[in-house]
Amino acid sequence: MAVAHSIAARVNQLRADIEQHNYHYYVLDQPVIPDAEYDRLFQELQQLEQRYPQLVTPDSPTQRVGAAPLLEFAQVTHRTPMLSLNNAFEDAAVTAFDRRVREALGQALVEYAAEPKFDGLAVSLTYAKGLLATGATRGDGYTGEDVTANLRTIRAIPLKLRATHPPDLLEVRGEVLMLKADFEQLNRTQRGRGEREFANPRNAAAGSLRQLDPRITLTRRLTFYAYGTGAPIAGKLRRHSQVLDRLVELGFPVTAERQAVSGVAGLLDYYRALGARREQLPFEIDGVVYKVNDLAGQNALGFVSRAPRFAVAHKFPAAEATTVVEGIDVQVGRTGALTPVARLQPVFVGGVTVTNATLHNEDEVHRKDIRVGDTVVVRRAGDVIPEVVRTLEAKRPARTHRFVLPVRCPVCGSAVRRSEDEAVARCTAGLFCPAQRKQALLHFASRRALDIEGLGEKLVEQLVDNQVVRTPADLYKLGIAGLAGLERMAEKSAGNLVAAIERSKHTTLARFIYALGIRNVGESTARDLARRFGSIERIAAADAETLQQVPDVGPVVAHSIAGFFAEPHNRKVIGQLLAAGVSFAETAPRQLDPSSPVYGKTFVLTGALPHLTRDEAQQKIRDHGGKVSGSVSKQTDYVVAGADPGGKYAKALELGVTILDEAGLLKLLD
Ligand code: D41
């Protein structure tokens, strides 16, 4: 039965539209229609194809799952072998790589194509006359497994090249991966069904790609990024970066993070800049890859065994590692919060050896069910505190016990209380608990508070344990003689410490308020309080309602502040500190001009400004009644960007936040 011409035309139109939308979504990263609209087009096409099966073609977007489950994967031999990459773990190895390249090519300065190293699975896609014919895993580089049916389910992989005259044959090389968000979602689903969770996105991607039933692969959200070709693309392409541009035209997602850079300095800059943004990227990377950009140069360099001499992978220190929990300690913080901390068998992760990792709070330990004796995944990314991500239940030894938080403070034995609306349990003894007293002293002396250099953890420990110091006011009674008796305290360091304590007497009201360690009062609130009230007496006298006139002070914070000053012990310590000579540089309540365009606005600073230092820019904004925040969100009014701005800049673009340069900021302040 012949199908009406108009129906065949509609089917073709729907396919073209759907492909176009896929391209916008996966390759350009700029969807033009909402998901629901896309789904509607897709359903219409499915219904027409069901009614007119003779119209179905293998490259139709509906035909991503056609195949029945397999019994095993067939082997495929790669037409062009998939080479491996040499690794560099240190800057020195990168410098050596660049030197070898320069010498071999006889050039003083080499241009490289730098790109992220995706932590996924390398695959090769073969297109015959423009249609996806075979997709295979890398295997040993010469033969891999035929996972065509599974790869067809990945919408980021085109079933058909975008070209009117496609080449007879094209091998596209790239990585299949799972985005972090999709990985989290998958593990939530697995957990909900009581099924095994995946240790990381790479394992999840590998497990999904190795499914013999493509219908399962379809339910796993995998994606794909191309990084090269097998045999070279015919034509006049001279650089690797042009090959990638061509792959984009042909319909392949290629990461926007790629960049052409010059010389070893360019390589290392790229490495550091991407490393700093690693956590913000939607996918996991385990390093960056450098390739000689000039294709003739690549050819001239050739290969050693199975790795090209023209490329190298510069690895990041692994962010995750597995180790064993030897114990779970409970630490008591400045506000009495009890924090369970895992004591670990030492493990090298994120570039350092880790022996402790935070377990955050009781609920987290139970949610993850982490037990003494467990083998766990530990994560340390960038400068963040190491944490236990998950336990590997399969490796759990016999007879372990669920963690129980003690009902008494492990330091002072006082009762532990947990209010209903909080995840945190606290020791109720306040400053009578030595642990809280020690933390309070350390906070008081910290750099952004009264900045007493040399008053570190070990010393505070001794001062409190020997009952030499009970409150911050006691610090100002310390003499060299009293200190010299302490362990590891030479006369010289005792002298230095006494001098540092003396110097700390000249401070600002904002630092002083911050130093008091009032719950919920951070640096920025302390500054606002100082500015609004101008003296500690006036703050102490303010009621909760008056306190709430300060920017960002709501009922909870006002309650903490009023509660702190209502406590006679706190008033006494403040009195002693002032009597000891702690004094403030003039901070008269400033008259702000609410008509200033900066007043009440939130700013985020990123990158180096040409004239102002970061502190100067912050001060100027605050002097005009603006706020400075560390991260970009929907609440941000302006991002002030200087040189090499990084992730905050990208976030600002994404959220449509107004971006200013230094001149723009100064104009607003004018
Ligand atoms: O992102 C990657 N994982 C990646 C892998 C990349 N960006 N580029 C790569 N380039 C190559 C050469 C230069 C050998 C074509 C690679 C790989 N190879 C590779 N992936 C797995 C083994 C080798």
Side-chain angles (χ1 to χ4, degrees):
M1 182 185 77
V3 178
H5 178 69
S6 60
I7 289 172
R10 178 66 187 154
V11 163
N12 283 334
Q13 187 60 50
L14 284 167
R15 283 178 191 156
D17 287 352
I18 290 169
E19 270 159 21
Q20 188 66 7
H21 291 310
N22 277 348
Y23 188 69
H24 275 275
Y25 189 92
Y26 291 102
V27 182
L28 304 182
D29 203 11
Q30 274 169 350
V32 287
I33 53 166
D35 290 356
E37 182 71 7
Y38 178 93
D39 292 344
R40 205 190 54 71
L41 295 175
F42 200 89
Q43 274 165 19
E44 186 184 343
L45 178 61
Q46 264 179 330
Q47 280 160 6
L48 286 175
E49 287 180 350
Q50 231 160 43
R51 202 153 358 130
Y52 307 100
Q54 58 274 53
L55 292 181
V56 176
T57 56
D59 61 323
S60 170
T62 60
Q63 299 305 298
R64 287 194 174 265
V65 185
L70 301 170
L71 293 174
E72 60 172 2
F73 296 118
Q75 296 284 314
V76 263
T77 302
H78 299 301
R79 223 169 284 258
T80 318
M82 294 182 78
L83 301 166
S84 53
L85 281 168
N86 286 322
N87 286 325
F89 293 96
E90 324 245 287
D91 290 3
V94 177
T95 312
F97 162 74
D98 173 62
R99 182 173 3 91
R100 286 194 302 272
V101 169
R102 278 187 292 110
E103 281 168 6
L105 298 180
Q107 289 176 17
L109 188 67
V110 176
E111 182 180 275
Y112 295 98
E115 49 199 57
K117 181 168 189 302
F118 296 107
D119 198 6
L121 296 119
V123 296
S124 181
L125 307 171
T126 306
Y127 289 80
K129 299 204 186 316
L131 295 184
L132 176 61
T134 328
T137 61
R138 176 170 179 277
D140 63 5
Y142 298 99
T143 12
E145 285 179 323
D146 183 340
V147 286
T148 313
N150 288 340
L151 289 172
R152 285 178 64 93
T153 69
I154 301 175
R155 286 206 192 150
I157 295 179
L159 297 177
K160 188 164 109 191
L161 300 179
R162 288 170 67 90
T164 30
H165 302 290
D168 275 348
L169 193 71
L170 177 71
E171 293 164 87
V172 174
R173 303 282 161 83
E175 294 261 327
V176 168
L177 45 100
M178 192 177 283
L179 299 183
K180 291 176 193 170
D182 292 327
F183 164 73
E184 298 295 341
Q185 178 62 47
L186 172 62
N187 265 356
R188 270 196 294 276
T189 310
Q190 294 287 102
R191 201 154 51 227
R193 291 186 185 152
E195 281 177 45
R196 197 172 59 85
E197 290 181 43
F198 293 95
N200 53 51
R202 186 182 188 284
N203 285 6
S208 306
L209 198 60
R210 278 202 212 101
Q211 292 291 335
L212 289 166
D213 185 350
R215 282 171 302 189
I216 298 183
T217 313
L218 182 77
T219 67
R220 306 281 173 81
R221 297 190 138 264
L222 295 175
T223 192
F224 173 81
Y225 282 98
Y227 60 67
T229 63
I233 300 182
K236 46 197 178 310
L237 305 179
R238 292 188 39 235
R239 280 188 282 280
H240 176 69
S241 47
Q242 295 171 328
V243 172
L244 297 184
D245 292 342
R246 180 74 189 127
L247 286 174
V248 169
E249 288 168 5
L250 288 170
F252 296 93
V254 173
T255 176
E257 302 292 343
R258 68 198 162 103
Q259 206 176 312
V261 301
S262 223
V264 72
L267 296 178
L268 297 179
D269 280 351
Y270 178 83
Y271 177 82
R272 288 195 227 304
L274 200 63
R277 293 200 301 113
R278 184 178 179 189
E279 292 301 303
Q280 277 102 281
L281 295 176
F283 40 73
E284 292 210 329
I285 59 177
D286 57 351
V288 299
V289 186
Y290 311 135
K291 301 172 184 174
V292 169
N293 204 10
D294 184 60
L295 297 179
Q298 288 193 359
N299 264 329
L301 280 153
F303 312 89
V304 214
S305 64
R306 294 162 53 190
R309 256 196 294 250
F310 60 78
V312 73
H314 191 183
K315 303 282 280 261
F316 293 134
E320 287 189 357
T322 59
T323 187
V324 174
V325 178
E326 294 183 328
I328 299 180
D329 290 345
V330 175
Q331 290 181 350
V332 184
R334 177 164 64 80
T335 58
L338 267 53
T339 306
V341 176
R343 265 194 298 109
L344 306 168
Q345 242 170 41
V347 61
F348 191 74
V349 53
V352 299
T353 300
V354 167
T355 52
N356 292 302
T358 180
L359 297 170
H360 300 293
N361 57 53
E362 187 181 12
D363 289 355
E364 278 292 294
V365 186
H366 287 155
R367 192 175 67 73
K368 296 174 181 164
D369 192 16
I370 292 157
R371 305 181 182 197
V372 177
D374 273 2
T375 298
V376 292
V377 177
V378 184
R379 179 173 184 81
R380 181 188 175 272
D383 291 331
V384 302
I385 303 168
E387 64 167 350
V388 174
V389 186
R390 69 181 68 84
T391 193
L392 303 176
E393 245 176 88
K395 298 200 171 177
R396 174 170 289 166
R399 282 189 295 281
T400 56
H401 302 285
R402 263 173 79 81
F403 170 78
V404 229
L405 195 77
V407 292
R408 303 219 146 256
C409 171
V411 175
C412 72
S414 303
V416 164
R417 194 166 302 139
R418 180 172 164 183
S419 55
E420 269 169 41
D421 52 347
E422 266 199 326
V424 184
R426 292 176 202 275
C427 161
T428 51
L431 288 175
F432 295 100
C433 171
Q436 294 182 55
R437 213 180 299 139
K438 286 173 192 169
Q439 292 301 323
L441 283 164
L442 281 170
H443 174 75
F444 184 85
S446 65
R447 201 169 57 79
R448 315 195 75 118
L450 284 224
D451 192 16
I452 306 177
E453 212 185 307
L455 191 67
E457 221 164 297
K458 289 270 170 341
L459 193 54
V460 165
E461 189 106 331
Q462 290 187 65
L463 291 171
V464 172
D465 289 348
N466 297 338
Q467 310 211 2
V468 182
V469 171
R470 296 179 57 86
T471 74
D474 296 338
L475 292 171
Y476 295 91
K477 297 178 199 146
L478 282 176
I480 297 182
L483 282 169
L486 299 172
E487 234 177 90
R488 281 191 289 172
M489 176 57 72
E491 199 167 319
K492 176 148 182 277
S493 34
N496 287 342
L497 181 62
V498 170
I501 293 173
E502 190 58 34
R503 270 199 308 278
S504 75
K505 288 181 182 173
H506 305 283
T507 186
T508 64
L509 182 57
R511 277 175 177 267
F512 185 74
I513 296 166
Y514 173 63
L516 293 174
I518 305 167
R519 173 126 42 114
N520 301 317
V521 176
E523 268 187 289
S524 141
T525 306
R527 228 168 357 239
D528 291 341
L529 287 165
R531 189 163 291 163
R532 169 71 176 73
F533 292 98
S535 82
I536 193 76
E537 291 79 7
R538 277 195 286 267
I539 299 172
D543 58 20
E545 202 176 318
T546 318
L547 287 166
Q548 287 187 52
Q549 292 168 4
V550 172
D552 288 336
V553 174
V556 174
V557 181
H559 184 77
S560 299
I561 301 169
F564 181 88
F565 287 105
E567 180 71 55
H569 168 79
N570 293 334
R571 295 181 97 99
K572 186 169 145 206
V573 171
I574 292 170
Q576 288 172 341
L577 285 166
L578 299 177
V582 173
S583 63
F584 316 116
E586 207 51 57
T587 39
R590 188 181 292 273
Q591 283 309 306
L592 292 174
D593 173 11
S595 71
S596 159
V598 173
Y599 186 84
K601 295 286 191 288
T602 300
F603 288 74
V604 172
L605 301 169
T606 175
L609 300 178
H611 303 100
L612 297 174
T613 67
R614 184 67 68 95
D615 281 344
E616 286 166 351
Q618 286 185 355
Q619 200 52 53
K620 279 186 189 292
I621 292 167
R622 291 193 182 116
D623 286 349
H624 286 75
K627 282 182 294 231
V628 180
S629 155
S631 57
V632 180
S633 72
K634 282 195 211 114
Q635 271 71 50
T636 310
D637 296 295
Y638 297 101
V639 165
V640 183
D644 296 328
K648 293 178 191 171
Y649 184 80
K651 189 77 194 272
L653 285 177
E654 186 188 319
L655 294 177
V657 175
T658 307
I659 298 173
L660 301 173
D661 58 6
E662 185 185 85
L665 171 66
L666 292 173
K667 207 159 166 192
L668 272 193
L669 293 167
D670 198 12

